[in-house]
Amino acid sequence: MKTLRFKKISVGRLLYHASTWLILGLFFISFVQHPEPARTETEFIQKIENHWSDLKNNSFLNGSIVISKNNSVIYSDGDRNERYMIGSLSKSFVGYYFFKNKQYLDSKMCLYIQSFCEKPFSEITIQDLLKHRNGFKSFFELKHTFYRKFELPDLDGLQMTTKDFEPEIYQKLNYSNLGYDLLSRVIELIEKKSFSQVIDDISVDAKLVST
């Protein structure tokens, strides 16, 4: 008889996933808390505007919105020409960059981010971050990946202690958003240009003219 084996998950990791589902739940609640349908177009626009404002004011999203009817815009908010990082889409560009520049894969992160020069982080390489094998604890991830306003150069001053590192998961797969944020910053430092500009360069080469 085959025995089922369950992967051991840390409390921090459980809370990380729980927080994600909590945010999704709040989205759902915000949509259904006013079930009364709009009777007129004006009421509809007002409900959309109220809902959109609530989500922005509570930092649940960062974006622009345009709603049109019969080729006429009936509601809009934000810069229509603004380009945003969407979920994990930018990870593809990070992976592509280092695929084309393999000479950096074994480089220590200490060469680019000062906080990696102290043990136990000093042996972590670019390739470790690419493979999600960096050893970061879940609470450390959570603390540094849910900023309302976040700029990649902020990572130059990233503070790390031994409490933020978990030896048992180092070199083991442990999905990391922060790792790819750090890699994006490394690309900026290597290329001496913003990550957005690097994405533009890659997009031009790939003829992705609207990316």
Side-chain angles (χ1 to χ4, degrees):
M1 182 176 179
K2 192 173 182 179
T3 302
L4 293 176
R5 295 182 181 274
F6 296 93
K7 182 180 178 181
K8 184 179 179 181
I9 304 177
S10 67
V11 173
R13 197 67 185 168
L14 284 172
L15 290 174
Y16 178 86
H17 289 299
S19 65
T20 301
W21 283 107
L22 176 61
I23 291 173
L24 291 174
L26 289 173
F27 268 113
F28 176 76
I29 291 170
S30 66
F31 274 111
V32 302
Q33 64 182 348
H34 301 297
E36 184 68 25
R39 296 182 178 84
T40 65
E41 184 176 297
T42 301
E43 287 185 17
F44 171 74
I45 295 172
Q46 189 62 55
K47 288 173 74 71
I48 290 292
E49 183 175 5
N50 292 342
H51 180 64
W52 180 256
S53 297
D54 286 344
L55 294 176
K56 288 183 68 175
N57 292 338
N58 287 286
S59 304
F60 285 142
L61 57 77
N62 178 32
S64 305
I65 184 174
V66 177
I67 299 175
S68 65
K69 179 181 179 181
N70 299 326
N71 296 321
S72 296
V73 175
I74 61 174
Y75 178 72
S76 67
D77 180 69
D79 184 353
R80 299 185 203 177
N81 298 314
E82 182 69 37
R83 291 179 292 179
Y84 300 95
M85 282 190 182
I86 302 176
S88 293
L89 188 61
S90 60
K91 290 184 174 72
S92 302
F93 290 91
V94 172
Y96 177 84
Y97 177 87
F98 286 109
F99 176 78
K100 300 292 284 188
N101 296 277
K102 295 184 178 71
Q103 68 271 25
Y104 296 111
L105 291 179
D106 293 324
S107 298
K108 301 289 179 61
M109 284 295 296
C110 173
L111 292 173
Y112 307 99
I113 307 292
Q114 182 67 34
S115 52
F116 279 88
C117 295
E118 301 292 331
K119 291 185 177 182
F121 304 99
S122 55
E123 295 301 313
I124 295 177
T125 66
I126 285 176
Q127 190 158 208
D128 290 334
L129 298 189
L130 277 171
K131 293 182 176 180
H132 298 281
R133 301 172 187 270
N134 50 47
F136 295 151
K137 284 188 175 180
S138 298
F139 280 125
F140 182 66
E141 280 271 333
L142 193 64
K143 182 170 62 175
H144 290 285
T145 53
F146 280 84
Y147 287 147
R148 184 174 185 178
K149 289 290 184 181
F150 178 78
E151 300 290 339
L152 290 176
D154 296 340
L155 293 172
D156 294 347
L158 183 68
Q159 299 295 314
M160 300 193 296
T161 70
T162 55
K163 294 179 180 179
D164 301 317
F165 185 77
E166 195 167 348
E168 293 79 10
I169 62 173
Y170 178 52
Q171 293 298 326
K172 294 181 181 178
L173 181 62
N174 191 42
Y175 191 84
S176 170
N177 284 308
L178 178 59
Y180 270 72
D181 287 338
L182 287 160
L183 289 173
S184 300
R185 178 55 180 158
V186 168
I187 292 173
E188 288 188 333
L189 294 170
I190 292 173
E191 294 295 322
K192 294 181 172 57
K193 59 177 69 172
S194 72
F195 185 58
S196 294
Q197 290 175 305
V198 173
I199 288 180
D200 284 341
D201 293 343
I202 294 174
S203 298
V204 168
D205 290 341
K207 297 182 172 57
L208 302 173
V209 295
S210 296
T211 299

